Every structure is written in structure tokens, then in C-alpha cells.
mmCIF file of all heavy atoms in Angstrom:
data_model
loop_
_atom_site.group_PDB
_atom_site.id
_atom_site.type_symbol
_atom_site.label_atom_id
_atom_site.label_comp_id
_atom_site.label_asym_id
_atom_site.label_seq_id
_atom_site.Cartn_x
_atom_site.Cartn_y
_atom_site.Cartn_z
ATOM 1 N N SER Y 1 10.826 2.332 26.670
ATOM 2 C CA SER Y 1 10.943 3.749 27.029
ATOM 3 C C SER Y 1 9.673 4.535 26.721
ATOM 4 O O SER Y 1 9.566 5.698 27.063
ATOM 5 C CB SER Y 1 12.131 4.384 26.291
ATOM 6 O OG SER Y 1 11.859 4.459 24.895
ATOM 7 N N ILE Y 2 8.714 3.877 26.067
ATOM 8 C CA ILE Y 2 7.460 4.543 25.688
ATOM 9 C C ILE Y 2 6.404 4.223 26.727
ATOM 10 O O ILE Y 2 6.133 3.058 27.018
ATOM 11 C CB ILE Y 2 6.993 4.087 24.292
ATOM 12 C CG1 ILE Y 2 8.022 4.512 23.246
ATOM 13 C CG2 ILE Y 2 5.632 4.662 23.960
ATOM 14 C CD1 ILE Y 2 7.734 3.992 21.868
ATOM 15 N N ASP Y 3 5.783 5.272 27.281
ATOM 16 C CA ASP Y 3 4.776 5.079 28.322
ATOM 17 C C ASP Y 3 3.375 4.824 27.772
ATOM 18 O O ASP Y 3 2.602 4.099 28.341
ATOM 19 C CB ASP Y 3 4.723 6.294 29.256
ATOM 20 C CG ASP Y 3 5.940 6.360 30.164
ATOM 21 O OD1 ASP Y 3 6.560 5.309 30.405
ATOM 22 O OD2 ASP Y 3 6.258 7.463 30.616
ATOM 23 N N GLY Y 4 3.042 5.447 26.678
ATOM 24 C CA GLY Y 4 1.684 5.338 26.159
ATOM 25 C C GLY Y 4 1.630 4.575 24.860
ATOM 26 O O GLY Y 4 2.654 4.178 24.300
ATOM 27 N N PRO Y 5 0.444 4.364 24.358
ATOM 28 C CA PRO Y 5 0.297 3.624 23.101
ATOM 29 C C PRO Y 5 0.811 4.439 21.908
ATOM 30 O O PRO Y 5 0.247 5.461 21.545
ATOM 31 C CB PRO Y 5 -1.202 3.363 23.001
ATOM 32 C CG PRO Y 5 -1.837 4.378 23.887
ATOM 33 C CD PRO Y 5 -0.828 4.759 24.930
ATOM 34 N N HIS Y 6 1.897 3.996 21.355
ATOM 35 C CA HIS Y 6 2.529 4.629 20.201
ATOM 36 C C HIS Y 6 2.171 3.873 18.914
ATOM 37 O O HIS Y 6 2.460 4.322 17.820
ATOM 38 C CB HIS Y 6 4.049 4.627 20.429
ATOM 39 C CG HIS Y 6 4.848 5.407 19.452
ATOM 40 N ND1 HIS Y 6 4.667 6.750 19.232
ATOM 41 C CD2 HIS Y 6 5.855 5.020 18.642
ATOM 42 C CE1 HIS Y 6 5.523 7.162 18.320
ATOM 43 N NE2 HIS Y 6 6.253 6.125 17.952
ATOM 44 N N GLU Y 7 1.512 2.725 19.095
ATOM 45 C CA GLU Y 7 1.212 1.855 17.963
ATOM 46 C C GLU Y 7 0.365 2.533 16.887
ATOM 47 O O GLU Y 7 0.556 2.302 15.702
ATOM 48 C CB GLU Y 7 0.484 0.587 18.439
ATOM 49 C CG GLU Y 7 1.346 -0.350 19.237
ATOM 50 C CD GLU Y 7 1.221 -0.147 20.741
ATOM 51 O OE1 GLU Y 7 0.706 0.907 21.173
ATOM 52 O OE2 GLU Y 7 1.653 -1.036 21.483
ATOM 53 N N THR Y 8 -0.575 3.378 17.304
ATOM 54 C CA THR Y 8 -1.463 4.043 16.356
ATOM 55 C C THR Y 8 -0.680 4.957 15.421
ATOM 56 O O THR Y 8 -0.944 4.991 14.216
ATOM 57 C CB THR Y 8 -2.536 4.859 17.114
ATOM 58 O OG1 THR Y 8 -3.187 3.978 18.045
ATOM 59 C CG2 THR Y 8 -3.569 5.423 16.178
ATOM 60 N N VAL Y 9 0.276 5.673 15.960
ATOM 61 C CA VAL Y 9 1.112 6.575 15.158
ATOM 62 C C VAL Y 9 1.927 5.760 14.151
ATOM 63 O O VAL Y 9 2.009 6.115 12.971
ATOM 64 C CB VAL Y 9 2.043 7.413 16.070
ATOM 65 C CG1 VAL Y 9 3.047 8.209 15.258
ATOM 66 C CG2 VAL Y 9 1.226 8.319 16.972
ATOM 67 N N LEU Y 10 2.519 4.673 14.615
ATOM 68 C CA LEU Y 10 3.329 3.832 13.733
ATOM 69 C C LEU Y 10 2.471 3.176 12.653
ATOM 70 O O LEU Y 10 2.870 3.114 11.486
ATOM 71 C CB LEU Y 10 4.065 2.771 14.552
ATOM 72 C CG LEU Y 10 5.100 3.306 15.543
ATOM 73 C CD1 LEU Y 10 5.624 2.172 16.418
ATOM 74 C CD2 LEU Y 10 6.235 4.018 14.832
ATOM 75 N N ALA Y 11 1.299 2.699 13.032
ATOM 76 C CA ALA Y 11 0.396 2.087 12.050
ATOM 77 C C ALA Y 11 -0.011 3.099 10.986
ATOM 78 O O ALA Y 11 -0.077 2.768 9.798
ATOM 79 C CB ALA Y 11 -0.827 1.501 12.738
ATOM 80 N N ALA Y 12 -0.256 4.334 11.386
ATOM 81 C CA ALA Y 12 -0.609 5.386 10.421
ATOM 82 C C ALA Y 12 0.521 5.619 9.429
ATOM 83 O O ALA Y 12 0.275 5.823 8.223
ATOM 84 C CB ALA Y 12 -0.962 6.682 11.147
ATOM 85 N N GLN Y 13 1.751 5.578 9.902
ATOM 86 C CA GLN Y 13 2.900 5.738 9.000
ATOM 87 C C GLN Y 13 2.966 4.593 7.999
ATOM 88 O O GLN Y 13 3.251 4.798 6.818
ATOM 89 C CB GLN Y 13 4.200 5.832 9.801
ATOM 90 C CG GLN Y 13 4.339 7.106 10.605
ATOM 91 C CD GLN Y 13 5.567 7.094 11.510
ATOM 92 O OE1 GLN Y 13 6.388 6.180 11.474
ATOM 93 N NE2 GLN Y 13 5.686 8.114 12.335
ATOM 94 N N LEU Y 14 2.694 3.386 8.474
ATOM 95 C CA LEU Y 14 2.707 2.231 7.576
ATOM 96 C C LEU Y 14 1.567 2.299 6.564
ATOM 97 O O LEU Y 14 1.753 1.967 5.392
ATOM 98 C CB LEU Y 14 2.639 0.938 8.386
ATOM 99 C CG LEU Y 14 3.890 0.614 9.193
ATOM 100 C CD1 LEU Y 14 3.614 -0.527 10.167
ATOM 101 C CD2 LEU Y 14 5.048 0.278 8.284
ATOM 102 N N ILE Y 15 0.412 2.741 7.017
ATOM 103 C CA ILE Y 15 -0.734 2.884 6.110
ATOM 104 C C ILE Y 15 -0.433 3.921 5.035
ATOM 105 O O ILE Y 15 -0.799 3.742 3.871
ATOM 106 C CB ILE Y 15 -2.020 3.236 6.896
ATOM 107 C CG1 ILE Y 15 -2.461 2.031 7.721
ATOM 108 C CG2 ILE Y 15 -3.131 3.710 5.966
ATOM 109 C CD1 ILE Y 15 -3.519 2.335 8.765
ATOM 110 N N ASP Y 16 0.269 4.985 5.407
ATOM 111 C CA ASP Y 16 0.673 5.984 4.416
ATOM 112 C C ASP Y 16 1.551 5.371 3.329
ATOM 113 O O ASP Y 16 1.427 5.726 2.159
ATOM 114 C CB ASP Y 16 1.429 7.146 5.077
ATOM 115 C CG ASP Y 16 0.514 8.103 5.808
ATOM 116 O OD1 ASP Y 16 -0.720 8.039 5.607
ATOM 117 O OD2 ASP Y 16 1.037 8.920 6.604
ATOM 118 N N SER Y 17 2.443 4.456 3.712
ATOM 119 C CA SER Y 17 3.347 3.873 2.721
ATOM 120 C C SER Y 17 2.705 2.731 1.932
ATOM 121 O O SER Y 17 2.972 2.587 0.748
ATOM 122 C CB SER Y 17 4.653 3.419 3.369
ATOM 123 O OG SER Y 17 4.423 2.388 4.281
ATOM 124 N N LEU Y 18 1.865 1.931 2.581
ATOM 125 C CA LEU Y 18 1.172 0.824 1.908
ATOM 126 C C LEU Y 18 -0.275 0.766 2.392
ATOM 127 O O LEU Y 18 -0.624 -0.021 3.264
ATOM 128 C CB LEU Y 18 1.879 -0.507 2.188
ATOM 129 C CG LEU Y 18 3.253 -0.712 1.561
ATOM 130 C CD1 LEU Y 18 3.901 -1.992 2.081
ATOM 131 C CD2 LEU Y 18 3.162 -0.746 0.048
ATOM 132 N N PRO Y 19 -1.143 1.609 1.814
ATOM 133 C CA PRO Y 19 -2.515 1.728 2.319
ATOM 134 C C PRO Y 19 -3.394 0.496 2.123
ATOM 135 O O PRO Y 19 -4.398 0.347 2.815
ATOM 136 C CB PRO Y 19 -3.076 2.919 1.551
ATOM 137 C CG PRO Y 19 -2.162 3.161 0.414
ATOM 138 C CD PRO Y 19 -0.845 2.541 0.745
ATOM 139 N N SER Y 20 -3.030 -0.409 1.245
ATOM 140 C CA SER Y 20 -3.878 -1.584 1.012
ATOM 141 C C SER Y 20 -3.663 -2.680 2.055
ATOM 142 O O SER Y 20 -4.390 -3.669 2.070
ATOM 143 C CB SER Y 20 -3.608 -2.153 -0.378
ATOM 144 O OG SER Y 20 -2.261 -2.609 -0.454
ATOM 145 N N VAL Y 21 -2.706 -2.492 2.946
ATOM 146 C CA VAL Y 21 -2.369 -3.510 3.946
ATOM 147 C C VAL Y 21 -3.054 -3.186 5.264
ATOM 148 O O VAL Y 21 -3.109 -2.034 5.687
ATOM 149 C CB VAL Y 21 -0.833 -3.570 4.149
ATOM 150 C CG1 VAL Y 21 -0.467 -4.546 5.257
ATOM 151 C CG2 VAL Y 21 -0.138 -3.925 2.838
ATOM 152 N N ARG Y 22 -3.577 -4.219 5.907
ATOM 153 C CA ARG Y 22 -4.125 -4.049 7.266
ATOM 154 C C ARG Y 22 -2.989 -4.325 8.253
ATOM 155 O O ARG Y 22 -2.610 -5.467 8.490
ATOM 156 C CB ARG Y 22 -5.285 -5.000 7.497
ATOM 157 C CG ARG Y 22 -5.931 -4.783 8.850
ATOM 158 C CD ARG Y 22 -7.218 -5.577 8.995
ATOM 159 N NE ARG Y 22 -7.453 -5.783 10.405
ATOM 160 C CZ ARG Y 22 -7.763 -6.925 10.958
ATOM 161 N NH1 ARG Y 22 -7.916 -7.987 10.212
ATOM 162 N NH2 ARG Y 22 -7.952 -7.015 12.248
ATOM 163 N N TRP Y 23 -2.425 -3.273 8.790
ATOM 164 C CA TRP Y 23 -1.282 -3.351 9.687
ATOM 165 C C TRP Y 23 -1.740 -3.509 11.133
ATOM 166 O O TRP Y 23 -2.665 -2.833 11.560
ATOM 167 C CB TRP Y 23 -0.441 -2.081 9.582
ATOM 168 C CG TRP Y 23 0.180 -1.849 8.239
ATOM 169 C CD1 TRP Y 23 -0.302 -1.053 7.241
ATOM 170 C CD2 TRP Y 23 1.406 -2.394 7.757
ATOM 171 N NE1 TRP Y 23 0.549 -1.078 6.168
ATOM 172 C CE2 TRP Y 23 1.609 -1.896 6.457
ATOM 173 C CE3 TRP Y 23 2.356 -3.261 8.300
ATOM 174 C CZ2 TRP Y 23 2.722 -2.229 5.687
ATOM 175 C CZ3 TRP Y 23 3.463 -3.590 7.526
ATOM 176 C CH2 TRP Y 23 3.634 -3.078 6.245
ATOM 177 N N GLU Y 24 -1.079 -4.370 11.866
ATOM 178 C CA GLU Y 24 -1.255 -4.501 13.306
ATOM 179 C C GLU Y 24 0.110 -4.229 13.925
ATOM 180 O O GLU Y 24 1.065 -4.965 13.652
ATOM 181 C CB GLU Y 24 -1.718 -5.914 13.680
ATOM 182 C CG GLU Y 24 -3.103 -6.264 13.197
ATOM 183 C CD GLU Y 24 -4.205 -5.598 13.993
ATOM 184 O OE1 GLU Y 24 -4.000 -5.324 15.196
ATOM 185 O OE2 GLU Y 24 -5.269 -5.354 13.416
ATOM 186 N N VAL Y 25 0.207 -3.190 14.730
ATOM 187 C CA VAL Y 25 1.481 -2.811 15.336
ATOM 188 C C VAL Y 25 1.359 -2.957 16.849
ATOM 189 O O VAL Y 25 0.427 -2.419 17.450
ATOM 190 C CB VAL Y 25 1.857 -1.361 14.956
ATOM 191 C CG1 VAL Y 25 3.184 -0.969 15.577
ATOM 192 C CG2 VAL Y 25 1.895 -1.185 13.432
ATOM 193 N N THR Y 26 2.305 -3.685 17.452
ATOM 194 C CA THR Y 26 2.240 -3.954 18.884
ATOM 195 C C THR Y 26 3.606 -3.804 19.529
ATOM 196 O O THR Y 26 4.570 -4.428 19.081
ATOM 197 C CB THR Y 26 1.729 -5.388 19.145
ATOM 198 O OG1 THR Y 26 0.492 -5.575 18.459
ATOM 199 C CG2 THR Y 26 1.526 -5.641 20.631
ATOM 200 N N ASN Y 27 3.642 -3.013 20.590
ATOM 201 C CA ASN Y 27 4.846 -2.883 21.405
ATOM 202 C C ASN Y 27 4.818 -3.987 22.459
ATOM 203 O O ASN Y 27 3.994 -3.971 23.365
ATOM 204 C CB ASN Y 27 4.906 -1.503 22.073
ATOM 205 C CG ASN Y 27 6.179 -1.283 22.863
ATOM 206 O OD1 ASN Y 27 7.012 -2.174 23.005
ATOM 207 N ND2 ASN Y 27 6.332 -0.080 23.385
ATOM 208 N N GLN Y 28 5.717 -4.934 22.336
ATOM 209 C CA GLN Y 28 5.755 -6.069 23.260
ATOM 210 C C GLN Y 28 6.038 -5.636 24.698
ATOM 211 O O GLN Y 28 5.693 -6.348 25.636
ATOM 212 C CB GLN Y 28 6.786 -7.089 22.794
ATOM 213 C CG GLN Y 28 6.483 -7.692 21.434
ATOM 214 C CD GLN Y 28 5.206 -8.509 21.439
ATOM 215 O OE1 GLN Y 28 5.148 -9.586 22.005
ATOM 216 N NE2 GLN Y 28 4.165 -7.993 20.799
ATOM 217 N N ALA Y 29 6.639 -4.469 24.876
ATOM 218 C CA ALA Y 29 6.920 -3.969 26.234
ATOM 219 C C ALA Y 29 5.646 -3.595 26.978
ATOM 220 O O ALA Y 29 5.662 -3.455 28.202
ATOM 221 C CB ALA Y 29 7.861 -2.766 26.166
ATOM 222 N N LEU Y 30 4.526 -3.438 26.242
ATOM 223 C CA LEU Y 30 3.262 -3.038 26.869
ATOM 224 C C LEU Y 30 2.194 -4.130 26.847
ATOM 225 O O LEU Y 30 1.060 -3.894 27.266
ATOM 226 C CB LEU Y 30 2.721 -1.778 26.180
ATOM 227 C CG LEU Y 30 3.644 -0.553 26.188
ATOM 228 C CD1 LEU Y 30 3.029 0.589 25.403
ATOM 229 C CD2 LEU Y 30 3.956 -0.136 27.604
ATOM 230 N N VAL Y 31 2.528 -5.306 26.382
ATOM 231 C CA VAL Y 31 1.544 -6.384 26.258
ATOM 232 C C VAL Y 31 0.927 -6.738 27.606
ATOM 233 O O VAL Y 31 -0.267 -7.033 27.686
ATOM 234 C CB VAL Y 31 2.174 -7.619 25.575
ATOM 235 C CG1 VAL Y 31 1.309 -8.852 25.728
ATOM 236 C CG2 VAL Y 31 2.408 -7.329 24.099
ATOM 237 N N HIS Y 32 1.704 -6.682 28.664
ATOM 238 C CA HIS Y 32 1.157 -7.012 29.994
ATOM 239 C C HIS Y 32 0.029 -6.050 30.380
ATOM 240 O O HIS Y 32 -0.929 -6.442 31.031
ATOM 241 C CB HIS Y 32 2.256 -7.007 31.061
ATOM 242 C CG HIS Y 32 2.903 -5.687 31.276
ATOM 243 N ND1 HIS Y 32 3.808 -5.141 30.385
ATOM 244 C CD2 HIS Y 32 2.774 -4.789 32.277
ATOM 245 C CE1 HIS Y 32 4.204 -3.964 30.837
ATOM 246 N NE2 HIS Y 32 3.586 -3.727 31.975
ATOM 247 N N GLU Y 33 0.111 -4.783 29.939
ATOM 248 C CA GLU Y 33 -0.972 -3.823 30.199
ATOM 249 C C GLU Y 33 -2.222 -4.190 29.414
ATOM 250 O O GLU Y 33 -3.340 -4.070 29.909
ATOM 251 C CB GLU Y 33 -0.507 -2.408 29.863
ATOM 252 C CG GLU Y 33 0.607 -1.908 30.772
ATOM 253 C CD GLU Y 33 1.125 -0.540 30.377
ATOM 254 O OE1 GLU Y 33 0.511 0.122 29.500
ATOM 255 O OE2 GLU Y 33 2.150 -0.129 30.952
ATOM 256 N N TRP Y 34 -2.041 -4.654 28.180
ATOM 257 C CA TRP Y 34 -3.177 -5.072 27.358
ATOM 258 C C TRP Y 34 -3.875 -6.274 27.992
ATOM 259 O O TRP Y 34 -5.103 -6.320 28.046
ATOM 260 C CB TRP Y 34 -2.709 -5.414 25.943
ATOM 261 C CG TRP Y 34 -3.817 -5.941 25.089
ATOM 262 C CD1 TRP Y 34 -4.775 -5.217 24.438
ATOM 263 C CD2 TRP Y 34 -4.106 -7.321 24.823
ATOM 264 N NE1 TRP Y 34 -5.636 -6.070 23.781
ATOM 265 C CE2 TRP Y 34 -5.238 -7.362 24.003
ATOM 266 C CE3 TRP Y 34 -3.509 -8.513 25.204
ATOM 267 C CZ2 TRP Y 34 -5.787 -8.551 23.537
ATOM 268 C CZ3 TRP Y 34 -4.058 -9.697 24.747
ATOM 269 C CH2 TRP Y 34 -5.193 -9.710 23.922
ATOM 270 N N PHE Y 35 -3.097 -7.245 28.478
ATOM 271 C CA PHE Y 35 -3.698 -8.409 29.132
ATOM 272 C C PHE Y 35 -4.547 -7.993 30.324
ATOM 273 O O PHE Y 35 -5.627 -8.529 30.550
ATOM 274 C CB PHE Y 35 -2.622 -9.412 29.580
ATOM 275 C CG PHE Y 35 -2.364 -10.508 28.589
ATOM 276 C CD1 PHE Y 35 -1.409 -10.352 27.596
ATOM 277 C CD2 PHE Y 35 -3.083 -11.687 28.630
ATOM 278 C CE1 PHE Y 35 -1.164 -11.349 26.673
ATOM 279 C CE2 PHE Y 35 -2.849 -12.704 27.708
ATOM 280 C CZ PHE Y 35 -1.892 -12.532 26.726
ATOM 281 N N LEU Y 36 -4.067 -7.031 31.086
ATOM 282 C CA LEU Y 36 -4.810 -6.559 32.245
ATOM 283 C C LEU Y 36 -6.095 -5.861 31.817
ATOM 284 O O LEU Y 36 -7.176 -6.136 32.355
ATOM 285 C CB LEU Y 36 -3.939 -5.618 33.086
ATOM 286 C CG LEU Y 36 -4.513 -5.193 34.430
ATOM 287 C CD1 LEU Y 36 -4.823 -6.396 35.319
ATOM 288 C CD2 LEU Y 36 -3.543 -4.254 35.138
ATOM 289 N N GLU Y 37 -6.004 -4.984 30.821
ATOM 290 C CA GLU Y 37 -7.190 -4.252 30.337
ATOM 291 C C GLU Y 37 -8.193 -5.157 29.641
ATOM 292 O O GLU Y 37 -9.375 -5.114 29.924
ATOM 293 C CB GLU Y 37 -6.763 -3.164 29.339
ATOM 294 C CG GLU Y 37 -6.521 -1.829 29.945
ATOM 295 C CD GLU Y 37 -6.154 -0.813 28.867
ATOM 296 O OE1 GLU Y 37 -6.770 -0.814 27.777
ATOM 297 O OE2 GLU Y 37 -5.235 -0.027 29.133
ATOM 298 N N ALA Y 38 -7.723 -5.957 28.724
ATOM 299 C CA ALA Y 38 -8.609 -6.756 27.876
ATOM 300 C C ALA Y 38 -9.135 -8.015 28.557
ATOM 301 O O ALA Y 38 -10.252 -8.439 28.287
ATOM 302 C CB ALA Y 38 -7.886 -7.132 26.578
ATOM 303 N N HIS Y 39 -8.321 -8.610 29.423
ATOM 304 C CA HIS Y 39 -8.696 -9.907 29.989
ATOM 305 C C HIS Y 39 -8.689 -9.939 31.514
ATOM 306 O O HIS Y 39 -8.907 -11.009 32.095
ATOM 307 C CB HIS Y 39 -7.748 -11.002 29.484
ATOM 308 C CG HIS Y 39 -7.709 -11.129 28.006
ATOM 309 N ND1 HIS Y 39 -8.773 -11.555 27.262
ATOM 310 C CD2 HIS Y 39 -6.711 -10.867 27.113
ATOM 311 C CE1 HIS Y 39 -8.444 -11.562 25.978
ATOM 312 N NE2 HIS Y 39 -7.206 -11.150 25.866
ATOM 313 N N ALA Y 40 -8.408 -8.801 32.145
ATOM 314 C CA ALA Y 40 -8.273 -8.737 33.601
ATOM 315 C C ALA Y 40 -7.308 -9.811 34.102
ATOM 316 O O ALA Y 40 -7.502 -10.428 35.144
ATOM 317 C CB ALA Y 40 -9.631 -8.863 34.283
ATOM 318 N N GLN Y 41 -6.272 -10.048 33.316
ATOM 319 C CA GLN Y 41 -5.290 -11.076 33.616
ATOM 320 C C GLN Y 41 -3.938 -10.413 33.889
ATOM 321 O O GLN Y 41 -3.448 -9.633 33.075
ATOM 322 C CB GLN Y 41 -5.176 -12.037 32.432
ATOM 323 C CG GLN Y 41 -4.249 -13.196 32.655
ATOM 324 C CD GLN Y 41 -4.213 -14.118 31.435
ATOM 325 O OE1 GLN Y 41 -4.961 -13.956 30.477
ATOM 326 N NE2 GLN Y 41 -3.317 -15.084 31.474
ATOM 327 N N VAL Y 42 -3.352 -10.739 35.017
ATOM 328 C CA VAL Y 42 -2.040 -10.206 35.361
ATOM 329 C C VAL Y 42 -0.968 -11.156 34.822
ATOM 330 O O VAL Y 42 -0.962 -12.339 35.156
ATOM 331 C CB VAL Y 42 -1.880 -10.033 36.888
ATOM 332 C CG1 VAL Y 42 -0.478 -9.565 37.240
ATOM 333 C CG2 VAL Y 42 -2.918 -9.069 37.427
ATOM 334 N N VAL Y 43 -0.120 -10.629 33.944
ATOM 335 C CA VAL Y 43 1.000 -11.397 33.403
ATOM 336 C C VAL Y 43 2.262 -10.563 33.584
ATOM 337 O O VAL Y 43 2.204 -9.326 33.598
ATOM 338 C CB VAL Y 43 0.788 -11.759 31.916
ATOM 339 C CG1 VAL Y 43 -0.436 -12.636 31.725
ATOM 340 C CG2 VAL Y 43 0.699 -10.517 31.062
ATOM 341 N N PRO Y 44 3.399 -11.215 33.720
ATOM 342 C CA PRO Y 44 4.633 -10.444 33.895
ATOM 343 C C PRO Y 44 4.997 -9.693 32.612
ATOM 344 O O PRO Y 44 4.704 -10.172 31.510
ATOM 345 C CB PRO Y 44 5.685 -11.500 34.230
ATOM 346 C CG PRO Y 44 5.117 -12.798 33.790
ATOM 347 C CD PRO Y 44 3.630 -12.652 33.785
ATOM 348 N N PRO Y 45 5.624 -8.533 32.747
ATOM 349 C CA PRO Y 45 6.077 -7.804 31.562
ATOM 350 C C PRO Y 45 7.096 -8.629 30.771
ATOM 351 O O PRO Y 45 7.862 -9.404 31.356
ATOM 352 C CB PRO Y 45 6.733 -6.547 32.136
ATOM 353 C CG PRO Y 45 6.220 -6.421 33.519
ATOM 354 C CD PRO Y 45 5.910 -7.812 33.978
ATOM 355 N N LEU Y 46 7.074 -8.441 29.475
ATOM 356 C CA LEU Y 46 8.043 -9.108 28.619
ATOM 357 C C LEU Y 46 9.363 -8.338 28.672
ATOM 358 O O LEU Y 46 9.369 -7.124 28.873
ATOM 359 C CB LEU Y 46 7.509 -9.171 27.182
ATOM 360 C CG LEU Y 46 6.204 -9.967 27.043
ATOM 361 C CD1 LEU Y 46 5.544 -9.706 25.709
ATOM 362 C CD2 LEU Y 46 6.466 -11.448 27.243
ATOM 363 N N ARG Y 47 10.467 -9.039 28.495
ATOM 364 C CA ARG Y 47 11.785 -8.421 28.630
ATOM 365 C C ARG Y 47 12.444 -8.046 27.310
ATOM 366 O O ARG Y 47 13.431 -7.326 27.286
ATOM 367 C CB ARG Y 47 12.711 -9.360 29.391
ATOM 368 C CG ARG Y 47 12.232 -9.712 30.785
ATOM 369 C CD ARG Y 47 13.097 -10.793 31.397
ATOM 370 N NE ARG Y 47 13.266 -11.916 30.476
ATOM 371 C CZ ARG Y 47 12.757 -13.123 30.648
ATOM 372 N NH1 ARG Y 47 12.069 -13.397 31.715
ATOM 373 N NH2 ARG Y 47 12.958 -14.075 29.772
#
């Protein structure tokens, strides 16, 4: 249901609670967009 990258907001919340951790937050519903941007690779959206 999220259209844009919300991961940064969520990662900031996690950093606030545990700042010594390097958090990586990824919405699997948007991974196909990342593949297209980062690798110019078309993959089907995850379900």
C-alpha cells in the first residue's frame, strides 16, 4: 500500500531505539523497482 520509499523513516526509528546497530530496512513489495533502478533488470513484483 506504500508508493514511495518508507524504509528511511523506519530505519530512523530503529536507529533512535538502538543507535549502535546498522539497520537495513527493505519493503519487499518494492524490490522489483530497485532491481530496475539499480540493475536495469525487470523482475516480477513479489507477492
